Amino acid sequence: MSDMWSGGCQCGAVRYEIAAAEVLTLVCCHCRECQRQSASAFGMSLILPRAAFALVQGHLQSFQWRSERGTARRGNFCPTCGVRIYNDDAEAGSWVSVKAGTLDDTSILDPVGHLWTKRAQPWVSLPEELLLYPAEPETDDAINAAYQKRTRP
Ligand SMILES: [Zn+2]
Ligand SMILES: [Zn+2]
């Protein structure tokens, strides 16, 4: 499978491509960081190996912060319109978490789980058949397996 997914920022300066077959998982996160970053109720994280992400136009600016776990996280965004394209780990950096709403075709997005449900807005209804975690899962094994079972049976 050689499908490429394309996406970009709001002003059009930044464009990227993703090797769809390499995607590890797709989840929604209701933590306060994601609520603030998305300026909305939750964030959508498409997790993939760094090598599966290619910036094909424009450039990104970044800033760093410490997560609740104490790891150095980095947000990468379009310097013109400010749209966040992906987050990554500033130190190790073998993976990226693409902000899935920046894809050109968001109809393909179907999250397998929800993280930080204890912070979810009370009017958000969570599908009980999905993987639901009150905070972060101990490991990503279950959310990765669920996504890969669905997309590569
Ligand atoms: Zn832009
Ligand atoms: Zn979050």
Side-chain angles (χ1 to χ4, degrees):
M1 188 168 138
S2 62
D3 269 12
M4 299 300 280
W5 291 347
S6 60
C9 67
Q10 194 171 9
C11 78
V14 171
R15 298 290 302 161
Y16 68 83
E17 286 183 348
I18 284 171
E22 304 291 317
V23 171
L24 297 171
T25 196
L26 173 66
V27 290
C28 295
C29 181
H30 300 259
C31 82
R32 284 291 294 133
E33 292 276 358
C34 287
Q35 290 179 351
R36 191 181 300 277
Q37 189 281 316
S38 65
S40 186
F42 55 85
M44 289 179 79
S45 299
L46 191 69
I47 313 292
L48 51 145
R50 180 178 299 281
F53 177 91
L55 191 67
V56 296
Q57 181 188 298
H59 68 280
L60 296 169
Q61 200 168 316
S62 67
F63 82 103
Q64 289 188 27
W65 78 96
R66 289 262 158 207
S67 75
E68 279 183 54
R69 281 174 171 177
T71 53
R73 303 294 310 281
R74 188 168 56 182
N76 304 278
F77 56 92
C78 171
T80 302
C81 69
V83 165
R84 186 78 60 87
I85 302 296
Y86 69 89
N87 289 349
D88 61 359
D89 185 328
E91 282 150 8
S94 60
W95 55 271
V96 299
S97 173
V98 172
K99 296 294 164 180
T102 62
L103 285 168
D104 292 336
D105 181 5
T106 53
S107 70
I108 52 179
L109 299 174
D110 193 5
V112 296
H114 290 256
L115 316 187
W116 284 99
T117 59
K118 68 182 178 187
R119 300 263 193 273
Q121 294 286 328
W123 45 265
V124 170
S125 50
L126 299 164
E128 279 169 24
E129 69 277 15
L130 299 186
L131 294 163
L132 305 178
Y133 299 92
E136 285 184 43
E138 290 282 308
T139 76
D140 293 340
D141 293 353
I143 54 175
N144 289 355
Y147 182 85
Q148 287 159 41
K149 184 176 163 200
R150 186 189 283 175
T151 55
R152 312 194 260 287

